[in-house]
Structures are given as C-alpha cells and as structure tokens.
Amino acid sequence: MIILYGFFLPEVFSQDSLSVREGQEIQLLARRKVEKGLNDLLNTISFEDLGDFERKALRTDSYGNSVNKVFYNDKVIIEDDINPEHISGKTGTDLPIDRYLSDFELFYPKSVDRTILFTDFDVSALKKSEYYYVKVYFKSQFNSRHNQIKIPYGQVRRVAEVRAEKKGKKWLTYIMRVAFVTEIDSAKSPLNDVLLTSDSIAVNGGKQIAEVISEAENLRNKERETERKALEEYNSWLTTGDKAFASRDYDKALEAYTEAEKRNDFDDLLPRRKIYQVKRAFEKEKQTQVELLREYLAKGSIAQKKRNYTEAVGYYKKAFELKPDSLALGATIKQLNQKSSVKTELDEKYNSGKYAEVIKDYSKILRKEKSNSDYYLGRGLAYVMTNESDRALKDFTQSIELDFSNLAALKARAELFATKKDYPKAAADLTSYLNIDDSADDVFARRAKYRILTRNTAGAFEDYNKAVELSPKYPGHYFSRGILFFQTENYPNAVTDFSNGLKLDNKHSESYYNRGLAYVKLSQPEQAGQDFAQLRKLGINADQQQQIGLIVNHYFEKAFKSLADKKYENAIKEFDETIFIKPDISEAWYHRGQSFTALSDTLAALESYDRAISFRPDYSQAFFERAQLWFGLGKFEKAAADYRKSYEINPLNYLANAGEAHAYYEQKWFDKAIVSYQFIKINEKKIGKSFSDSVFANIYNQLGVSLFLTGQTAKAIEEFDRAIARNENFSDAYCNRGKAYEKENSLRRAVADFKKSAGLDGKTPIKYQFLGNAQYKEENFEDAILSFSEAIKLDADNRCCMAVSKLKRGDCYYALKQYRQATDDYESAFAIDSVTHIPDAFYNTGIAFLYQRQTDRSIKFLSRITAKDLVKGQAYYGLACAYVQQKKPEQALAWFEKSFQTGTISRAYIRKDKLLESVDKAFANSSAFKELVNKNVIK
C-alpha cells in the first residue's frame, strides 16, 4: 500500500524562479524515488518467484520510458556495492546502470522476503548545475550473502543524485548517479544551492491579497482531495487482488492488480510484482492439474492390475473430476464397478475363511467364463489356504497367461514359489511385476529378500536402493538394507541405514539391537551400549539377551586377563567397554575398582566399588575392598561400617571381622575393638588355616594393646603370649609385652622382652628407648646408657625419640655422677625439642653444673623452675647452695628460707644431703644456717 506524503502546488509563481514550497516538494519526491523507487526495484529483482523475462523487463523499464522509471536514462552510473568488499569510493568501481542491475541479478541471492533495507535518510537543499537536482543520503544494508564472495555485507553510506524536471504542473524526479559518501560530502554543503523565493503571492489586478491567497488555498485543497481519492482507489484494487489471490481466484486477482497498476502514480513496483506472482501461480496450478491427472490415471491403472477395483475406481473418479468430458473414463469406471460387485461377494467369503465355498463358486463361474484372469486368481488364493499348492500354482499360471499384467497374480505366484523355496522363480515373477509397475517399493524390497536367498547380493542391494528411493520415509527399507550391509560386513553403512530408519521410527527395537551389534563390530562399545540400553527400555527378547550376554562375556574375559597380567590401564579400558555394553555388571565394576586400586587411584576405585554395590547390594567382597580403601584414607568409621556389612553378608569373611576390629582400634574405640578381636579368637578353630600365623599374631597383639590401654594388663600379657606363640619373631609383640611387664614392675621380664624386641627389629629407635627406660628403672645405668645411645644413633633426625633419649641418657650420667656428660646431654636435648623442657630435667642440669663449679649456669637452669613445679623446694635449696658457692651468704640464707617454706625439705633431707657440704662444709655447720633450719624445718 502507498501512503500519501507528497503534495502539488498551483502554478501561481514566475517560471523564472522557484519557491521554498517547490523546493520542499522536489526534496520529498527525490527521497521517495530512492526510498521507494530504488529500494523496491532491487527487492523486486531479487524476488525468487520472478522469471527471467520479468526481471529483464524490470531492468529495462527502470531507465526506459515507463511509469516505473527510476533512472534518468541508460547512461546513469552506479558505484558498485554488489561486491561486499566494496565499501567506499576507494574500493568501488563505476558501472553503467544496465550492467549494475545485471550483476545484481546474477550475484545477489533470490528470496521471498525483502532483504535490502535503506535507512537514515538526509536530503540536501535544492541545487542547480545544468539541471535542478538534490542529493539523497542514506544507509544501505544488504541482508543476504553474495553468491560467490563469502564475506558478509556490512552497512554502507550511499548518496543518490536525483534530477528534477517539471512536466506541466508536476515535478518529476529521476536518479542520475548513486555512489558511496565521501568524507568531505555532506547534505549541508552549500555548493550549487539554489536561492529560493519566499511564498508571497502577487496581486492580480484589483483583487485583494486575501482573495488571491484564498483561491490558491482552495486549489491546493482540491488537488490534495483528488490525490487522496486516487490513492484510496489504488489501495482498494490492491486489497481486492490480495483477497482474490488468497482464495486462488487468479483471474480476479490479475484483473485487480492490473487496475492498480493503471492507477500507479507513486513509483510503486508492488502491483507489477503482484501481477508476476499471479501469473506464476496460475502456471503452477495449470501444470499441477495436468500432473495430478496423470498421477490419478497411473495409480488407477496399477490398482486395476492389482485387482484392487475399489481403489482403482477411486483414482479414476478423481481423474474424471479433472477431466469430466472424458467418455473413456466414465466407461472404465462403470466396468470396474461391475467387476468389483462380483469380486466383493467372493472376497467376503474368503475373508471369513469359507475357502471351500470360494473354490466351488469360482469353479462354477469358470465353466462359463474360462477366459477371466481374475477368477483363476481368486480360486488360486483359496487353494493356497487349503494347502493345495499345486492347484493354486496351476490357477495362478493360468491367470497370468490370460492377463500378463495381472499384478496380483504375479505377486501371489511369487509368494507360492517362495514357500516352495523356489526363490529364482519367485524373483522372476516379481521382476515381471516390476516391469509393469516400477513404483512398488514393497515389491522391490521383497525381491531383494529372494535375491539374498539366491546369493545375488548385488541385485538385492539394487532392489533395496530402489525401495528406499521410492519410499524414503518408510523405515522398514532402511532396516532391511542395514541387515544386508551387516551380513556383508559393511558395518559403517549398516549403522547409517539403521540410524536413518530410527529417525523415522524411534521405537523400532530391532534397529537398536542390530545397530548395537554393528557398533560392536566397529569396536565402538559405548555407542553399542547406548543402543542396547534403548533396546531394554523398548523390550528385549531372550535371544537378544543371550547374544548381548555373549558380547559382555567376551569383553569381560579380555579385561580380566589384562587384570591378571597386571596390565591395569588396559584392564580399566576393557572393563569400561564391558560396562558400556551392560552397565549393571557388578563384577565388572568390582574388578575395575581393583585395577584402579593397583594404580593407587583411590577415588576412582571407590567410585567403582560404589557402583558394584549399587547393582548388587549383597556384594560382600565389594564392601570389603571399599572398607580397605576407607581404612587407607584414614576414614576408619566408614571402614568399620563397610567391614561390618561385608561379614554380615558373608559371616565366614573373618578378615572383615578383623578389619572392623582394626578400624575400631585406630579410632581408639578399644572396648569395641576388644569385642571384635575376641570374636576372631573364639572362632580360631573355624578360621583354621585361612588365616596365616602372622595374621593371627597381629590380631592377638592388637587385642593385647587394646586390653593394656583399657587397664587390663594381665589379660593383655596373655594375648601378647598368644601373639608370640603364633610368631616367635614378632618384635612388636615382645615390645608390647615388655611395656605390660614394666607396668606391673616386672622389670627383669620387661628388660628381657625389650632386648628381644630390639634385637629382632634392630631399626626402630623407640624400642631401644623402651629398653633404656626399663634398665634405668633397674638402676642398670651403664646398660641404659648403651640402649639410649643406640636409639639416638637410629633417630639422628629426631623423627621420634632422639631428644628424649638424650634427656634420659643425661639422667643416667647424672645418677652415675658423671656431671659433665649429663649436662652435655641435657643441653643438647633442650636445644633439639621443647618436649624435654621439664622441671626435673632443669633441676638435674642445674645441680650437675653446681657440682662442676659452674655456678652461673647452675643458677640459670634452677631459676627456670617456677613456684608451680613439684621440685620447687629442691630447686630453691640448690639455688641457695649456688649462692653459698658464690660466697653470697645473705642471698643463700634467703633461698634456703624459701626452700624450707615450701614444706618439701625435711631434716632427714638435710642430713642426707651432700651437696651443701661439698660446696662449703663450714657454711653447713654455721649457726646462721642451723638457726634457720631450727626455725623453719619442723620434721
């Protein structure tokens, strides 16, 4: 539709000058010439429903003498923008208008939509050189793609020079040139601008100015009303044409669009485009009716030859509707209706299973009409149902001899030959059938099956190919050809055909099954597994289940061998392939977990055991192996739960009982651990040799430790005895029994066990420390020093006990009054580990330095003992002795008084003490000291 936005002015001005109003009119017409004329021209040329003749006419009319003229003449130049690489004047080339439009038609793609868009218009002032003109600036966007150059079009800025000429009272505009906008070009440029006169009106004779203005205004209004009515009439014809076209009344549509074109004074190509559409639609419909007539006649003929008379009559009637004046068609329909009447009655008896009656009726009719091919066919079909195949074959043959185009007889005899396994003859009959009707895709497919049985594989492929070509939407043909590809070991093509069939019927279980088998042959088990999974959803039969089971076994055995050969990466890949085929094989998941465990990939192994258990909740060994992994990760609570589940499922899995006990032990849940260990102990005879002596020994040792740590020392010793009885070289058991003996103060036995433990081990420093501790308690200081020295040597990096062993060795030297060695060990221990910073050690160090006459160092260590420490009294006493040694009696007496006030120093302690006498015997016998003692020490 066109919307009126131009207007015309009355001729009241001088021909030698132009008014502002005329300048505005030219600007509006110029913009419309570009916005409607040029844009509609390009979109119409690229309209896909146009023929070559129509496009050529559009090109010629655009610069010739036509009402749709857009360009001034054929000399107009257009700067090329068809090539998407041309985006400015620097890259574009100048083309004559006809060449430009020809290239546009050749290289720009056709479409049913408008793909060219002009926007952002800006029009210059009216200008004049040799003629009046304006410049129309706009943005152009081609939204399709060039047919050869793959670069997409971008938006470009264009400018059209539009010439204006006056014809009578109207201004006409034509495009003189279209180019890219340059950097210096602008709609505001004053170059060649025309100086327009004002819209004042000259007075004529004696008329008043107001009268003249009124007359001009009335004239303008009349012209506007005339144009409005013309536009309404134009749009009305277009609407009428659209309605007629939509209802496929092409004659009326063509008339309406033609009337609109006659009234087209608006640079509008729409009526012309509509006319082209109507003509093309009319030609298509005419062509379609001819094709439909041929189709109905052909289908009717085939149905007639198949003896499907009702179907044939239906097609002939459709043909008769298209060609109602055909006498031959009417006669054929009448004849077929008569045949159908006789055949229908006998078909009803046949369909109800009254085959003997059918044979009798046909035989009676054939006595009168021996040359009727249909009756022999009908009786032959009944003979087939009564298992009289020889008679049936004779009747089918007679039917064919009477009418070689009897397709139903040819198909029936082919089926009968096939039941007799005479496949060559069956195929030959179908060949005869196809010579008559080469559109029967089902017959091609059936002949393909017979050809397969005669080992004519190439011929079978030809038939299946033809069946697919004739009926590309029927999934059965793809399936059948896929089976043949599979049988000939062309597995990729088999997959393709099964896939094409499934696109048409995604519920066909056999296609999923056979495609899965093809994927297996192509070593693509993951894809095969997906197909078998879909098969299970749709319903799997026993034979398919068995075949898939064999495939699973093949993959599983291959994977299990790799696992046995310790080729763990291969095993994992092959177990994955097994799982692809059948995801719920718990054994495959279990052994996959074992493979990951062997590769120390604990998380992957855990996932595998999880899946094994999910598919088989009573899988005792999977619970056990998962428990082992939890145990290794320090997740003892989870480990205990899995161990317990394992032996609950399999009560004979005593290793799981032992694992649960160990897990409790590691969590320091010793009461629970004792119960589990004792269960093993109670069932020792049942377990028998399924546990080695070392396993039993370890269990009894752990039981002993649990008892020991819960204060049951005597029972603990019994379990350590059991452990040693099972393994007489069990170093840890000797060590633990030594600790128990030490706790019961059986030092001789403790020392003996510690020696045995250290001797069997020889590498564990803590065991030598334990031995040294027991020897120290026996006051066997020399041997203790040797034991602590061995511990220090074995633990040079202080990983466990070097600092403490040095401290304890210092205690031994101190007891032997080897004070220098003692202080060396003490200070070394203090420097290595803060755990040795204990009050007793500081006290011994201070006293040892005092005996060495190193008073300052003595005071340093004794001063580190605080008022909260139990040895504070002795430490204060030592400090007092140190100040005596320094000849500081006042300070000495002060510290003695503090010492006595702690209440830990008795008169007996003072009498036995040799330290003060060794420092200064005279001070010990001084009256000041004695008075202090008498005053503060009561007992």
Side-chain angles (χ1 to χ4, degrees):
M1 297 293 176
I2 290 295
I3 300 172
L4 181 65
Y5 65 92
F7 54 87
F8 303 101
L9 299 173
E11 186 70 15
V12 295
F13 300 112
S14 169
Q15 294 298 313
D16 297 330
S17 63
L18 297 181
S19 69
V20 171
R21 194 176 296 274
E22 285 180 298
Q24 292 173 344
E25 179 185 355
I26 292 168
Q27 287 177 312
L28 289 171
L29 292 172
R31 170 171 172 162
R32 189 165 70 181
K33 183 64 69 174
V34 175
E35 187 175 9
K36 287 294 297 175
L38 178 59
N39 187 258
D40 278 0
L41 176 64
L42 296 179
N43 276 301
T44 303
I45 290 174
S46 62
F47 184 51
E48 68 177 18
D49 276 354
L50 261 62
D52 292 339
F53 174 80
E54 289 93 343
R55 287 194 178 90
K56 184 176 180 181
L58 278 171
R59 295 200 313 269
T60 304
D61 288 352
S62 70
Y63 54 78
N65 293 321
S66 165
V67 294
N68 296 312
K69 183 175 181 179
V70 176
F71 304 101
Y72 186 71
N73 55 28
D74 61 354
K75 303 295 191 296
V76 168
I77 298 298
I78 307 292
E79 199 166 26
D80 177 39
D81 60 349
I82 302 167
N83 184 334
E85 295 174 333
H86 295 170
I87 58 175
S88 70
K90 297 177 181 178
T91 55
T93 56
D94 289 345
L95 299 176
I97 182 59
D98 190 57
R99 167 69 184 279
Y100 176 84
L101 294 176
S102 296
D103 285 359
F104 177 81
E105 180 183 337
L106 179 64
F107 297 117
Y108 191 77
K110 308 301 182 287
S111 171
V112 295
D113 301 314
R114 295 177 69 89
T115 61
I116 300 169
L117 185 66
F118 291 171
T119 58
D120 296 354
F121 290 90
D122 193 8
V123 184
S124 74
L126 181 65
K127 300 175 182 292
K128 185 176 182 181
S129 55
E130 298 175 2
Y131 48 80
Y132 291 109
Y133 69 95
V134 294
K135 288 187 174 183
V136 179
Y137 297 83
F138 60 97
K139 290 181 180 177
S140 170
Q141 177 68 57
F142 288 5
N143 289 313
S144 290
R145 284 180 175 264
H146 194 281
N147 287 333
Q148 295 182 359
I149 301 170
K150 300 307 178 184
I151 298 173
Y153 286 104
Q155 191 178 71
V156 294
R157 295 181 66 233
R158 302 277 276 175
V159 57
E161 182 180 303
V162 183
R163 178 170 179 165
E165 292 181 345
K166 198 163 190 178
K167 188 175 181 181
K169 295 182 178 181
K170 292 184 179 180
W171 283 97
L172 303 178
T173 55
Y174 304 104
I175 295 173
M176 295 293 290
R177 174 177 173 78
V178 181
F180 291 104
V181 177
T182 64
E183 294 179 358
I184 61 173
D185 205 354
S186 169
K188 308 302 180 186
S189 172
L191 181 66
N192 293 335
D193 280 0
V194 173
L195 182 61
L196 300 172
T197 64
S198 66
D199 291 331
S200 59
I201 302 174
V203 177
N204 185 8
K207 288 186 177 181
Q208 297 295 318
I209 294 176
E211 293 179 17
V212 175
I213 293 174
S214 177
E215 289 178 6
E217 186 66 28
N218 289 335
L219 185 57
R220 282 198 296 271
N221 288 337
K222 287 180 181 179
E223 291 191 357
R224 287 173 184 167
E225 181 63 20
T226 300
E227 184 174 331
R228 186 188 63 77
K229 288 181 179 180
L231 180 61
E232 285 182 356
E233 187 177 5
Y234 170 78
N235 286 335
S236 175
W237 281 113
L238 286 178
T239 302
T240 300
D242 289 344
K243 290 179 179 178
F245 186 80
S247 61
R248 302 177 69 176
D249 186 346
Y250 300 130
D251 290 333
K252 186 175 181 181
L254 184 60
E255 179 186 356
Y257 291 142
T258 302
E259 289 298 324
E261 176 66 3
K262 290 178 183 178
R263 292 160 175 79
N264 182 12
D265 294 328
F266 312 106
D267 288 335
D268 192 5
L269 286 173
L270 184 61
R272 194 166 185 180
R273 181 171 173 174
K274 295 283 189 179
I275 290 169
Y276 291 149
Q277 277 185 292
V278 172
K279 289 181 178 179
R280 182 60 56 88
F282 183 79
E283 289 298 323
K284 283 184 178 179
E285 185 173 86
K286 185 177 179 181
Q287 183 180 3
T288 301
Q289 287 184 345
V290 172
E291 291 173 354
L292 274 175
L293 178 63
R294 290 174 183 167
E295 180 183 344
Y296 292 148
L297 291 173
K299 287 183 175 179
S301 176
I302 294 299
Q304 183 179 349
K305 290 171 183 176
K306 289 180 178 179
R307 273 37 184 184
N308 295 332
Y309 294 129
T310 301
E311 182 181 346
V313 167
Y315 283 122
Y316 286 139
K317 282 183 176 179
K318 288 182 178 181
F320 193 71
E321 289 175 2
L322 295 174
K323 197 174 182 182
D325 57 345
S326 173
L327 298 176
L329 271 175
T332 300
I333 291 170
K334 183 178 179 180
Q335 179 188 5
L336 290 180
N337 278 328
Q338 292 172 349
K339 285 187 176 183
S340 177
S341 177
V342 176
K343 187 174 180 294
T344 300
E345 181 182 352
L346 292 172
D347 284 348
E348 287 296 324
K349 287 186 178 182
Y350 179 90
N351 292 332
S352 62
K354 298 177 181 179
Y355 306 120
E357 286 188 34
V358 171
I359 292 170
K360 182 179 178 181
D361 289 346
Y362 273 125
S363 298
K364 184 177 180 181
I365 295 171
L366 283 168
R367 292 191 194 103
K368 298 178 181 179
E369 297 183 48
K370 294 182 179 181
S371 62
N372 193 309
S373 173
D374 289 357
Y375 299 151
Y376 285 104
L377 170 63
R379 188 172 70 176
L381 291 172
Y383 278 136
V384 169
M385 300 307 296
T386 58
N387 295 318
E388 298 176 78
S389 57
D390 290 340
R391 288 184 174 182
L393 181 60
K394 183 177 179 182
D395 271 359
F396 291 150
T397 302
Q398 185 64 31
S399 175
I400 293 166
E401 288 177 355
L402 289 169
D403 182 359
F404 285 106
S405 65
N406 192 330
L407 298 179
L410 287 168
K411 183 184 284 190
R413 189 171 72 173
E415 291 176 357
L416 186 58
F417 280 135
T419 60
K420 293 173 173 290
K421 298 185 178 180
D422 193 345
Y423 302 115
K425 287 183 178 179
D429 271 354
L430 293 186
T431 300
S432 298
Y433 183 110
L434 292 168
N435 288 336
I436 298 167
D437 177 14
D438 61 356
S439 65
D441 59 287
D442 60 319
V443 178
F444 276 109
R446 185 172 298 185
R447 186 175 70 175
K449 290 176 180 169
Y450 298 155
R451 283 179 162 179
I452 291 171
L453 294 169
T454 60
R455 298 183 180 180
N456 182 3
T457 305
F461 272 122
E462 289 177 2
D463 281 350
Y464 281 135
N465 292 342
K466 189 66 177 177
V468 169
E469 178 187 336
L470 290 169
S471 187
K473 298 296 184 182
Y474 179 63
H477 297 330
Y478 293 104
F479 173 76
S480 298
R481 188 172 65 180
I483 292 294
L484 186 56
F485 276 128
F486 186 92
Q487 291 169 346
T488 56
E489 300 183 1
N490 189 339
Y491 304 119
N493 281 354
V495 166
T496 300
D497 266 353
F498 293 138
S499 299
N500 286 332
L502 286 168
K503 289 177 184 176
L504 300 168
D505 178 10
N506 62 3
K507 302 295 183 184
H508 192 239
S509 60
E510 285 288 337
S511 290
Y512 286 111
Y513 172 66
N514 284 283
R515 187 173 69 176
L517 295 180
Y519 278 131
V520 170
K521 294 292 186 181
L522 291 169
S523 299
Q524 298 179 35
E526 184 172 4
Q527 291 86 338
Q530 292 170 358
D531 277 350
F532 293 148
Q534 192 63 31
L535 171 65
R536 293 184 192 98
K537 290 180 182 178
L538 294 171
I540 186 170
N541 62 42
D543 290 340
Q544 292 168 342
Q545 189 79 45
Q546 182 181 15
Q547 183 61 37
I548 293 172
L550 293 174
I551 295 168
V552 169
N553 290 340
H554 166 74
Y555 279 110
F556 184 85
E557 289 169 5
K558 183 180 177 183
F560 194 79
K561 185 178 184 304
S562 293
L563 176 60
D565 294 340
K566 298 183 179 180
K567 298 177 180 178
Y568 302 117
E569 290 86 353
N570 288 348
I572 290 167
K573 175 178 175 293
E574 289 152 4
F575 281 127
D576 280 343
E577 291 172 344
T578 308
I579 291 163
F580 287 144
I581 301 297
K582 198 169 189 297
D584 61 350
I585 299 294
S586 55
E587 289 78 5
W589 285 107
Y590 171 77
H591 292 298
R592 183 178 185 264
Q594 286 188 310
S595 303
F596 277 119
T597 300
L599 293 173
S600 300
D601 191 342
T602 304
L603 294 179
L606 280 171
E607 180 190 358
S608 295
Y609 292 133
D610 288 345
R611 297 300 297 275
I613 291 167
S614 71
F615 292 120
R616 183 178 158 190
D618 64 345
Y619 204 159
S620 172
Q621 197 60 26
F623 278 109
F624 180 81
E625 294 296 342
R626 189 171 71 176
Q628 296 281 75
L629 293 177
W630 288 130
F631 194 97
L633 290 171
K635 306 289 185 181
F636 302 116
E637 189 171 357
K638 289 185 176 182
D642 274 354
Y643 283 130
R644 183 167 58 257
K645 188 70 176 177
S646 179
Y647 72 70
E648 285 174 353
I649 295 168
N650 178 15
L652 298 179
N653 189 354
Y654 295 108
L655 278 175
N657 286 107
E660 181 188 36
H662 294 327
Y664 288 145
Y665 178 90
E666 293 295 337
Q667 294 177 85
K668 301 188 183 337
W669 295 353
F670 299 116
D671 290 336
K672 289 186 176 182
I674 289 168
V675 173
S676 295
Y677 284 134
Q678 286 179 335
F679 182 83
I680 301 293
K681 178 181 172 182
I682 293 168
N683 289 280
E684 181 177 353
K685 289 185 179 179
K686 290 183 181 179
I687 296 169
K689 294 185 177 180
S690 61
F691 277 16
S692 65
D693 283 336
S694 62
V695 171
F696 272 123
N698 186 56
I699 289 169
Y700 293 139
N701 179 61
Q702 297 287 79
L703 175 56
V705 172
S706 300
L707 290 166
F708 178 80
L709 293 173
T710 55
Q712 304 176 66
T713 308
K715 290 183 179 180
I717 291 172
E718 292 177 8
E719 299 310 324
F720 295 137
D721 289 344
R722 290 178 189 278
I724 291 168
R726 283 285 187 173
N727 182 3
E728 61 183 11
N729 294 318
F730 195 176
S731 173
D732 287 356
Y734 283 110
C735 182
N736 290 329
R737 190 172 69 176
K739 294 293 288 182
Y741 280 136
E742 184 181 5
K743 186 175 181 182
E744 292 201 331
N745 209 28
S746 297
L747 296 176
R748 182 180 58 80
R749 289 182 174 180
V751 169
D753 273 353
F754 287 139
K755 281 184 177 179
K756 184 71 173 177
S757 173
L760 288 169
D761 187 320
K763 295 180 180 178
T764 306
I766 193 69
K767 292 179 179 178
Y768 285 99
Q769 187 191 89
F770 289 156
L771 174 59
N773 289 338
Q775 290 168 333
Y776 178 84
K777 288 180 180 179
E778 277 191 318
E779 297 185 0
N780 185 357
F781 302 122
E782 289 83 358
D783 287 347
I785 288 171
L786 293 175
S787 297
F788 288 131
S789 297
E790 188 63 24
I792 292 165
K793 182 177 73 173
L794 292 173
D795 190 27
D797 296 330
N798 191 37
R799 292 188 303 275
C800 69
C801 59
M802 182 182 74
V804 174
S805 293
K806 283 197 172 187
L807 187 73
K808 299 301 290 183
R809 190 173 67 178
D811 289 343
C812 293
Y813 283 128
Y814 183 87
L816 293 171
K817 299 182 180 180
Q818 297 178 24
Y819 298 120
R820 184 185 60 76
Q821 293 89 333
T823 53
D824 287 347
D825 272 352
Y826 285 140
E827 288 194 304
S828 178
F830 297 153
I832 293 170
D833 196 336
S834 62
V835 74
T836 61
H837 297 184
I838 57 177
D840 285 350
F842 291 147
Y843 173 78
N844 287 350
T845 305
I847 299 303
F849 275 123
L850 194 57
Y851 277 118
Q852 296 176 66
R853 303 285 175 177
Q854 298 186 45
T855 312
D856 290 341
R857 299 180 76 180
S858 172
I859 292 171
K860 171 187 172 184
F861 283 100
L862 291 172
S863 298
R864 295 180 71 175
I865 298 168
T866 69
K868 296 179 180 180
D869 296 327
L870 294 176
V871 295
K872 59 182 179 294
Q874 293 91 325
Y876 296 161
Y877 189 93
L879 278 169
C881 292
Y883 284 118
V884 170
Q885 197 174 66
Q886 285 186 339
K887 305 300 181 182
K888 296 178 180 178
E890 293 82 2
Q891 288 177 281
L893 288 170
W895 279 104
F896 277 129
E897 185 175 12
K898 285 185 71 173
S899 169
F900 298 154
Q901 287 173 351
T902 63
T904 59
I905 304 298
S906 64
R907 290 180 182 273
Y909 178 88
I910 296 170
R911 282 195 302 269
K912 291 178 182 179
D913 174 52
K914 303 298 182 184
L915 177 60
L916 183 55
E917 287 189 4
S918 69
V919 172
D920 189 340
K921 188 174 183 180
F923 186 90
N925 293 319
S926 69
S927 58
F929 177 71
K930 288 180 179 181
E931 285 177 8
L932 189 62
V933 171
N934 290 332
K935 180 181 177 181
N936 292 284
V937 182
I938 299 173
K939 56 182 180 178

